[in-house]
Amino acid sequence: MPTLPFPTIPLIAPPHRSDAELESHARGFFEAMTTRRTVRDFSPEPVPRAVIEWAIRCAGTAPSGANKQPWTFVAISDMDVKRRLRAAAEEEERAFYQDRATPEWLEDLAPLGTNADKPFLETAPWLIAAFQQSWEIDAATGAKRKNYYVPESASLACGLLLAALHHAGLVTLTHTPSPMGFLRETLNRPSNERALMLIVTGRPAPDARVPDIQRKSLDAISVFYD
Ligand code: IYR
């Protein structure tokens, strides 16, 4: 191996697996992930902060443009903050459902049964607001430093967060109130951060039900040149 012109460490390599073992692991992970559903009925039972901390650590392992890790996760279990977020979100959502949404959009949402009421923002034990850092402030000079592929990087981290919460045994709801400016204001985030999504998580309510909708088949979502 040539010496590289930057500091390196040995890769923590995955164990070598046979082709059959690779397929079995790939399939096993699919089977675990395919039971993930967006859930809107949460149990109010508290979830320890440590569970959320591990899941956020997992989100923080995502790849990012120039390794800038341009994300902040604000985890909220405080009832007063949850109440304020619910009130602000419902105000935006009422405007969306009454005025802003096009007929086509409302038609597309009909099978999901969503509306402007967001009781889960209070019921669920945790809300995790994901922010993307549009730029960074240099710690030494206070100058603005560029971040790269910011929405892509922060969205990858959110995907890992959903997988980690699912793996822990929690359910999630990916909530994208629009516009989301109220999240930055309510949560006092600095001017370089923009809200990306609000992830609601906890245990499901015992009688939780989900829409009867299907995932697209492999054929519908992929093309192979092999
Ligand atoms: N943000 C609204 C509407 C909404 C939009 C889409 I696209 C969804 O997949 C689900 C909901 C809401 O949260 O109700």
Side-chain angles (χ1 to χ4, degrees):
M1 269 288 200
T3 309
L4 293 164
F6 49 86
T8 65
I9 53 171
L11 171 70
I12 302 171
H16 182 275
R17 293 188 173 136
S18 69
D19 292 355
E21 286 169 337
L22 289 175
E23 184 176 341
S24 146
H25 278 77
R27 183 188 177 133
F29 192 61
F30 162 74
E31 279 165 2
M33 288 307 297
T34 199
T35 63
R36 186 204 58 77
R37 292 294 311 259
T38 288
V39 171
R40 291 187 167 74
D41 301 318
F42 288 85
S43 157
E45 188 180 348
V47 166
R49 172 177 160 154
V51 178
I52 305 302
E53 288 179 346
W54 284 117
I56 294 175
R57 281 190 187 95
C58 184
T61 68
S64 62
N67 190 36
K68 295 281 190 166
Q69 305 172 54
W71 43 65
T72 307
F73 296 95
V74 180
I76 303 128
S77 66
D78 182 284
M79 188 42 104
D80 182 55
V81 180
K82 289 199 290 185
R83 265 194 212 108
R84 280 190 279 142
L85 290 175
R86 177 184 178 181
E90 286 184 337
E91 197 178 318
E92 298 292 5
E93 294 298 343
R94 272 192 291 276
F96 171 80
Y97 283 94
Q98 280 163 24
D99 305 316
R100 282 204 306 268
T102 60
E104 183 184 3
W105 198 339
L106 292 176
E107 189 190 319
D108 282 340
L109 289 178
L112 307 180
T114 60
N115 59 41
D117 298 330
K118 305 296 176 192
F120 48 76
L121 295 178
E122 283 181 28
T123 320
W126 288 97
L127 310 179
I128 307 174
F131 289 85
Q132 56 184 46
Q133 299 171 355
S134 313
W135 68 88
E136 258 180 352
I137 309 288
D138 187 277
T141 66
K144 271 193 193 181
R145 299 275 308 176
K146 234 176 114 49
N147 284 338
Y148 308 92
Y149 297 100
V150 168
E152 292 87 345
S153 302
S155 300
L156 284 165
C158 286
L160 293 188
L161 181 59
L162 295 184
L165 293 165
H166 176 69
H167 184 74
L170 299 177
V171 295
T172 58
L173 165 62
T174 322
H175 182 42
T176 51
S178 159
M180 270 187 266
F182 72 89
L183 285 171
R184 197 168 74 81
E185 285 148 31
T186 309
L187 301 172
N188 299 312
R189 299 312 303 160
S191 60
N192 65 325
E193 292 189 7
R194 254 183 60 186
L196 180 61
M197 62 187 81
L198 184 60
I199 293 166
V200 184
T201 191
R203 295 179 177 87
D207 55 352
R209 296 182 70 84
V210 292
D212 183 11
I213 51 176
Q214 309 304 320
R215 295 206 164 96
K216 291 182 180 177
S217 68
L218 176 65
D219 283 348
I221 64 169
S222 62
V223 176
F224 285 76
Y225 288 93
D226 59 356

